[in-house]
Amino acid sequence: MLPLTLVCLLQSIIGAFAQQASRQLVLNQVVRLNGALLPNPPTFTIPSSPNISVSVALCSAGISTPRFIFSNDTSITQPSLNDVGQPNVFEVPLGSDGIGNWTGHAPDGGFLTVSGAGQIPFEVGVSDQEPLHATLDDLPFLGDTTSNQVLLFSPPFSRPEPNSPAYPNYTLPSANLSFPVGPSSPPNYTLYFTPTSSSSLLSLPRTGCALRAQNGPNDFNEGPAESDGLWLRDEGGWRWQWLVGGLSPSTNYTAFAILDGTKVTKPINFVTKSGSFECPIVHSLPYCPSTAYAVPIAAPPSPAIAHDASTLSENITNPLFEILTNFTTSLLTFPCGRDAYSQLVSCNDCQTAYRKWLCSVVFPRCSETSSDTSGGSVASPSPALVVQRSSSSSRSPSLPAFSSDYMALLPCLETCTAVDRACPVFMGFKCPVPKFTANKTYGVGFIDDGSEGIQGGGKTGAAQDEWGNVWCNAG
Ligand SMILES: *[C@@H]1O[C@H](CO)[C@@H](O)[C@H](O)[C@H]1NC(C)=O
Ligand SMILES: *[C@@H]1O[C@H](CO)[C@@H](O)[C@H](O)[C@H]1NC(C)=O
Ligand SMILES: *[C@@H]1O[C@H](CO)[C@@H](O)[C@H](O)[C@H]1NC(C)=O
Ligand SMILES: *[C@@H]1O[C@H](CO)[C@@H](O)[C@H](O)[C@H]1NC(C)=O
Ligand SMILES: *[C@@H]1O[C@H](CO)[C@@H](O)[C@H](O)[C@H]1NC(C)=O
Ligand SMILES: *[C@@H]1O[C@H](CO)[C@@H](O)[C@H](O)[C@H]1NC(C)=O
Ligand SMILES: *[C@@H]1O[C@H](CO)[C@@H](O)[C@H](O)[C@H]1NC(C)=O
Ligand SMILES: *[C@@H]1O[C@H](CO)[C@@H](O)[C@H](O)[C@H]1NC(C)=O
Ligand SMILES: *[C@@H]1O[C@H](CO)[C@@H](O)[C@H](O)[C@H]1NC(C)=O
Ligand SMILES: *[C@@H]1O[C@H](CO)[C@@H](O)[C@H](O)[C@H]1NC(C)=O
């Protein structure tokens, strides 16, 4: 029998070997590896943590994919595929998107083995909170496209404090709205998109490391530094905003937002307009925060590629300010905040809804009939488009007539009924009745079913969807 001290010594030598052989992973850090960079044996030590999440992501497509085996029993120092199913040995399940996680307890730490690593690069992350790699349910949001540009937004984050003025000093935002200060450390979103028909898109894992590594001529990778900054479209929260040029006309693209390089949203599609589309994008107007689409207006002076608050003429903005200021003055003749005209809505809601409606009327939206129907959903109803001749007067109270014919995408009727619903009756705001002439000026029946007073039940339930269909202008 060996003396006890020698046993202890041997154990610590074996322990030292085990530790030398397997690389220690650090909590809340991601490491990138491939077959050539793996330790031998290909085992990693996992730090101890009552709650732990081990996540993996494949960084490129390959014929055979590696498998990951985790043990939270520290006596199983090299768990293999054969051990899976034993107590405390688990395979980290890889989804079809190339992402997997194991979440559980590892009070004494554990070991992670890679089997069949081959040449595919991959990432491993260990976290004591949510998995570091994930597929998010959030979606990026499409503003609009031209023939070669797209305006896209990240999913929202950091909801603003609601504006809640109180009697007797019930103050509403001025017509020339100014935003609150944006979040000081916004989440790190990047944007990736490529033509939907691109062959790499079919085979690529939907992981941050795989998408961010794409750098072909039709791959677009845009970080916060390439963005147009943070924007507060609506009360849903701040978003990153990107206006990107250099796209191909009449092309269906697939876009993902990537959070912290490792968490990937579900994709959205968008389709660029045909080469003859002439309306420039108008965006980043503090007084019309959700206006982010193509408008029938002369192109901005070069080098600007789209209109924002700095390029729009006062001839356009002054009438808008005047209408909104007058509306607000009338609204404030009501003792807002002292008396209630509704259990549900306030003067502030009324002004917000009116601003959105007014912006959708002052800035009509251009679109076109889909030129590419391949892959488009057949069941999709046609959008609320009307031909607008250059010879007829402008649809907008303050825009001059456009220099060429265009297709106007009508505002959704719900943008109008929202004002009707949010404002006191004495303001006299009325929307056209769906069953008569409303469809001459509004998109009717998409969000609500079009029967008077009925909410919901429309053909699409929304102004636009994640596949790139846009049916009416929500404003
Ligand atoms: C571990 O997770 C459980 C629930 O999943 C939670 O109640 C507990 O507070 C967590 N412990 C730590 C240390 O985070
Ligand atoms: C390993 O994790 C599983 C699932 O979280 C848990 O039930 C088990 O107790 C853990 N084993 C050890 C040794 O901590
Ligand atoms: C972790 O993996 C499980 C399935 O193994 C999955 O249901 C869950 O959504 C994953 N968690 C995240 C954050 O991706
Ligand atoms: C009324 O509210 C506004 C905005 O909140 C504030 O700037 C102003 O000082 C207030 N006036 C009075 C008299 O409290
Ligand atoms: C609107 O406000 C912005 C910033 O607060 C200011 O720079 C701009 O001149 C204002 N526009 C008008 C037309 O008053
Ligand atoms: C944002 O994430 C990307 C991808 O992980 C990374 O390259 C970049 O350095 C990060 N930017 C900041 C400001 O953290
Ligand atoms: C604004 O309108 C005035 C009068 O109609 C006109 O003289 C002026 O050229 C217009 N300015 C711009 C920038 O369109
Ligand atoms: C706004 O109100 C002023 C003063 O009452 C009036 O002169 C002006 O015509 C109004 N403007 C609009 C667009 O209604
Ligand atoms: C874009 O392509 C996708 C995938 O083929 C398709 O589902 C979607 O309907 C297309 N979008 C449009 C607007 O055609
Ligand atoms: C508009 O509504 C009227 C009455 O419901 C209907 O007859 C007409 O076909 C509609 N027009 C369009 C373009 O949908």
Side-chain angles (χ1 to χ4, degrees), residues 32-339:
R32 185 190 167 93
L33 297 151
N34 63 39
L37 291 176
L38 284 181
N40 186 14
T43 305
F44 301 90
T45 312
I46 304 289
S48 68
S49 175
N51 291 340
I52 201 152
S53 204
V54 179
S55 63
V56 297
L58 304 181
C59 301
S60 76
I63 308 152
S64 68
T65 50
R67 294 171 72 175
F68 301 87
I69 304 103
F70 174 66
S71 163
N72 59 354
D73 177 340
T74 46
S75 70
I76 306 175
T77 56
Q78 282 176 39
S80 73
L81 278 174
N82 291 336
D83 302 326
V84 173
Q86 280 185 34
N88 304 322
V89 183
F90 312 89
E91 180 164 8
V92 181
L94 262 186
S96 56
D97 49 10
I99 293 183
N101 77 81
W102 182 89
T103 301
H105 307 288
D108 307 319
F111 294 94
L112 177 76
T113 311
V114 186
S115 165
Q119 294 307 311
I120 294 189
F122 61 87
E123 287 182 347
V124 183
V126 186
S127 159
D128 55 1
Q129 287 165 22
E130 296 290 297
L132 294 177
H133 297 93
T135 298
L136 305 173
D137 284 330
D138 296 341
L139 294 172
F141 181 83
L142 170 66
D144 204 356
T145 57
T146 66
S147 62
N148 62 1
Q149 300 169 329
V150 65
L151 181 65
L152 287 166
F153 296 88
S154 74
F157 47 85
S158 311
R159 277 166 167 273
E161 286 293 319
N163 173 33
S164 32
Y167 189 81
N169 181 19
Y170 197 99
T171 317
L172 287 171
S174 75
N176 187 8
L177 188 68
S178 56
F179 282 173
V181 178
S184 52
S185 42
N188 181 355
Y189 270 108
T190 58
L191 181 71
Y192 171 75
F193 61 89
T194 195
T196 304
S197 61
S198 132
S199 56
S200 63
L201 191 63
L202 291 171
S203 54
L204 265 189
R206 306 273 167 112
T207 58
C209 57
L211 299 178
R212 283 188 295 117
Q214 299 304 301
N215 58 5
N218 287 315
D219 293 303
F220 294 81
N221 251 307
E222 316 287 324
E226 288 77 43
S227 79
D228 289 72
L230 297 171
W231 193 250
L232 187 58
R233 270 184 64 75
D234 53 38
E235 58 289 349
W238 292 84
R239 300 170 182 261
W240 288 104
Q241 176 180 228
W242 290 272
L243 176 67
V244 186
L247 286 69
S248 307
S250 303
T251 304
N252 187 323
Y253 284 82
T254 300
F256 301 82
I258 304 164
L259 177 58
D260 296 334
T262 55
K263 302 186 184 83
V264 183
T265 65
K266 299 225 166 85
I268 62 163
N269 292 113
F270 63 85
V271 182
T272 47
K273 307 293 196 307
S274 66
S276 59
F277 187 77
E278 290 187 80
C279 302
I281 282 179
V282 174
H283 70 110
S284 299
L285 309 180
Y287 42 87
C288 288
S290 57
T291 300
Y293 51 80
V295 173
I297 182 176
S302 170
I305 58 167
H307 280 286
D308 60 21
S310 70
T311 58
L312 284 182
S313 151
E314 289 187 349
N315 288 2
I316 295 165
T317 51
N318 282 346
L320 189 155
F321 290 156
E322 194 178 316
I323 298 169
L324 192 53
T325 303
N326 285 9
F327 181 87
T328 306
T329 305
S330 311
L331 178 59
L332 288 174
T333 61
F334 186 83
C336 298
R338 192 194 73 187
D339 297 356

Side-chain angles (χ1 to χ4, degrees), residues 288-440:
C288 288
S290 57
T291 300
Y293 51 80
V295 173
I297 182 176
S302 170
I305 58 167
H307 280 286
D308 60 21
S310 70
T311 58
L312 284 182
S313 151
E314 289 187 349
N315 288 2
I316 295 165
T317 51
N318 282 346
L320 189 155
F321 290 156
E322 194 178 316
I323 298 169
L324 192 53
T325 303
N326 285 9
F327 181 87
T328 306
T329 305
S330 311
L331 178 59
L332 288 174
T333 61
F334 186 83
C336 298
R338 192 194 73 187
D339 297 356
Y341 57 88
S342 158
Q343 299 293 326
L344 301 172
V345 285
S346 64
C347 294
N348 189 51
D349 298 316
C350 168
Q351 196 212 34
T352 303
Y354 183 78
R355 179 191 295 276
K356 187 172 183 181
W357 171 82
L358 181 63
C359 293
S360 77
V361 172
V362 165
F363 297 108
R365 181 162 175 170
C366 298
S367 191
E368 62 182 12
T369 42
S370 173
S371 50
D372 170 44
T373 46
S374 65
S377 153
V378 188
S380 155
S382 12
L385 289 170
V386 296
V387 176
Q388 184 72 20
R389 302 272 169 222
S390 57
S391 50
S392 57
S393 58
S394 170
R395 300 193 74 82
S396 164
S398 56
L399 289 189
F402 195 43
S403 56
S404 54
D405 298 350
Y406 71 95
M407 299 286 269
L409 183 75
L410 299 176
C412 310
L413 182 60
E414 294 73 15
T415 303
C416 186
T417 48
V419 184
D420 198 353
R421 232 175 275 129
C423 293
V425 174
F426 80 84
M427 293 299 291
F429 188 88
K430 278 272 164 274
C431 300
V433 179
K435 71 175 175 222
F436 299 122
T437 54
N439 63 5
K440 290 208 166 69

